[in-house]
Amino acid sequence: MSLLICLPESMNPDMLSASLKSLDSSLKVEIGPEMVNKKEEVEFAVVWDHKDGILLNYPNLKCILSYGHGVDKLLADTQLPADVPIVRLKSKKMADSMNEYLLTVVLMNRRQLLKHALYPNEFEWNVSSSLNLNSIGILGLGFLGISAAQHFIQMGFQVKGWSRSEKNIKNVKCYSGNKGLIRMLEHTDYLINLLPLTIETQSLLNSETLSNLKRGAYFINVGRGKTLEEKDLIPLIDDGQLSGACLDVFKTEPLPKNHPFWKHKNILITPHNSSTTPHSSVAPQIIENYRRAICGEELLNLVDVKLGY
Ligand code: GLV
């Protein structure tokens, strides 16, 4: 019986292994498919950015855990073993780290700190900043979206949210459906994308949809790059429909060196690091799901493969 960790080196699989073993020293953990001696022993696999098809190598695999929030990359593997359930991580630490990023970006923009840093010669002394941008619109009201909404409410923002199915969340004006999307955008100063990438959300944010935003709204993408029709963004900013954008995710990552986003003064780029997954904080839920998978019990944070999240 063993648990296989299939993570890129940059995600420190050794540290995850140490965190898991510190909770259960009897656990047999194997790091990387090339280190597995007996493929039939692998019952649980923790994966991120794995090589397509490799999960077919383990005949006794009982569960696949996606080491992250979005499962689009994992589900894009057309050779996943049939009938092996997929679970994902949900961690308060992950949500806290995302909230910190979102709040930083919104407040920095609201107080124009980046502009002040870049153009100190353009200061207008003793003129108070206009603080009339107060409305946050969150696309995607899952675990991270709800947590972000609560965070912004606590800071005194008006928060709206949009999701595929109807939701009812305290103090959040919730919208769903195509008409709901337009209505939410019409009242949004800061648009935050936290949607999973699915067939429905691919290119959902394009010149047509984003033209419904309040003029001069600011866009933050921390969901997936492909939800945005990238070629539409710069024209929307140059036209003044958007005041700018902060992007953490892209169609191609790392963002190619010659991509026009790099050169645009109103686009802030971060390297897909808006939220992190601290090993020690997620080790308990990995062990719990491993135990449940072996015992045939109901799994935590099960992915609905049909819905894609
Ligand atoms: C990161 O992008 C994640 O999905 O966790």
Side-chain angles (χ1 to χ4, degrees), residues 48 68-70 224 272:
W48 187 258
H69 208 76
R224 283 291 181 264
H272 200 148

Side-chain angles (χ1 to χ4, degrees), residues 44-47 63-67 74 87-89 285-286 289:
F44 195 94
V46 176
V47 304
C63 180
I64 300 166
L65 180 138
S66 166
Y67 197 74
L74 174 55
V87 294
R88 63 187 169 133
L89 292 179
Q285 61 180 284
I286 295 177
N289 257 337

Side-chain angles (χ1 to χ4, degrees), residues 169-203:
I169 302 162
K170 196 172 167 213
N171 295 330
V172 180
K173 180 130 182 55
C174 295
Y175 298 85
S176 61
N178 292 346
K179 282 197 185 133
L181 176 62
I182 294 172
R183 264 195 281 138
M184 183 186 87
L185 295 176
E186 284 168 352
H187 300 285
T188 293
D189 295 311
Y190 291 99
L191 180 67
I192 296 173
N193 176 40
L194 271 164
L195 287 167
L197 180 66
T198 64
I199 293 170
E200 284 89 39
T201 64
Q202 179 147 348
S203 298

Side-chain angles (χ1 to χ4, degrees), residues 11 48 66-72 89 94 98 144 222-224 248-249 253 272 274-277:
M11 292 176 102
W48 187 258
S66 166
Y67 197 74
H69 208 76
V71 290
D72 46 295
L89 292 179
M94 202 190 235
M98 179 61 85
L144 294 179
V222 284
R224 283 291 181 264
D248 188 49
V249 288
E253 293 179 14
H272 200 148
S274 52
S275 167
T276 51
T277 309

